[in-house]
Amino acid sequence: MHALPPIGAEIPCSRLAINTPLRIKDELVTVDFRGGIKHRVDVNPDDPMNSVRMRTVGHKMSAELPGEDGKSPGTITIEQNDVDVDAPTILRLTQNFPPKYEFREVSTFTMVIERPGDGNGYAPLVLTTKEPMVLIGQLTQYPPRGDLYKLEKPVELVDLEDPTKVLAVIERFPVKVGGL
């Protein structure tokens, strides 16, 4: 029995990141992201016996910003930038029996922050990852069943027009991931 998922399989997972600290310009907010991700299993030519590459074929999460003073709250949406060409995400079998895995997810995404209730005809703030976000999960099964993935380091988000300007930072991303 092979402990890795079959090549070509598409594996959808739910994602829930509660109490995620997010710095937007000079403001620190805590939000709950909900959504999902789907990976397609590819061969990992560097280590085909013990690991597979996971191509992200869909990733979307959203959160509501807290409303204050009767203003309608805003929303934050995270969405995969484009088709994952080089599939940098790796699922590695680190122990055969009982099975243990390390899941190293590498992703780039666009974050759209909308705050319609501020009265300024507020245009959405559209940001992108300065460097890919890296999440690490230590798993006893794949697909995961509500396992917690941890952020390798904070994720800086920059303005699309000016990639030197960091406008938001995801400090921690405590995301629980489960197979659907």
Side-chain angles (χ1 to χ4, degrees):
M1 182 188 132
H2 205 266
L4 290 166
I7 303 303
E10 287 198 359
I11 300 163
C13 288
S14 64
R15 291 165 78 91
L16 180 62
I18 300 290
N19 294 328
T20 301
L22 175 66
R23 185 170 301 285
I24 305 168
K25 297 180 181 171
D26 298 326
E27 174 188 12
L28 184 63
V29 295
T30 301
V31 295
D32 298 342
F33 281 102
R34 290 175 170 78
I37 193 163
K38 187 192 280 186
H39 289 108
R40 183 179 305 125
V41 183
D42 281 348
V43 172
N44 181 5
D46 303 329
D47 185 9
M49 295 307 294
N50 300 307
S51 67
V52 287
R53 287 180 180 255
M54 304 296 276
R55 183 180 307 275
T56 304
V57 292
H59 178 207
K60 186 171 185 176
M61 296 182 79
S62 59
E64 283 198 6
L65 282 163
E68 56 207 43
D69 304 333
K71 292 179 185 171
S72 73
T75 56
I76 302 173
T77 306
I78 288 175
E79 202 157 2
Q80 175 182 356
N81 276 348
D82 49 28
V83 177
D84 189 359
V85 180
D86 56 355
T89 296
I90 302 280
L91 174 67
R92 183 176 313 283
L93 186 63
T94 57
Q95 178 181 307
N96 276 314
F97 191 82
K100 286 190 179 170
Y101 302 89
E102 180 179 86
F103 193 79
R104 188 171 197 277
E105 181 184 300
V106 181
S107 61
T108 58
F109 55 84
T110 300
M111 177 184 280
V112 179
I113 302 168
E114 295 181 81
R115 288 186 167 162
D118 70 359
N120 300 346
Y122 190 83
L125 185 59
V126 180
L127 307 173
T128 189
T129 45
K130 185 173 181 178
E131 293 175 11
M133 174 166 81
V134 178
L135 288 167
I136 308 284
Q138 302 295 337
L139 310 175
T140 56
Q141 77 267 322
Y142 190 85
R145 293 198 189 113
D147 292 280
L148 189 64
Y149 290 19
K150 290 197 167 76
L151 201 54
E152 193 172 64
K153 64 179 185 184
V155 180
E156 295 182 331
L157 294 137
V158 295
D159 190 326
L160 290 170
E161 271 81 64
D162 183 0
T164 62
K165 240 189 231 169
V166 175
L167 295 180
V169 178
I170 299 172
E171 307 277 351
R172 287 193 327 276
F173 198 70
V175 63
K176 283 191 175 176
V177 182
L180 294 176

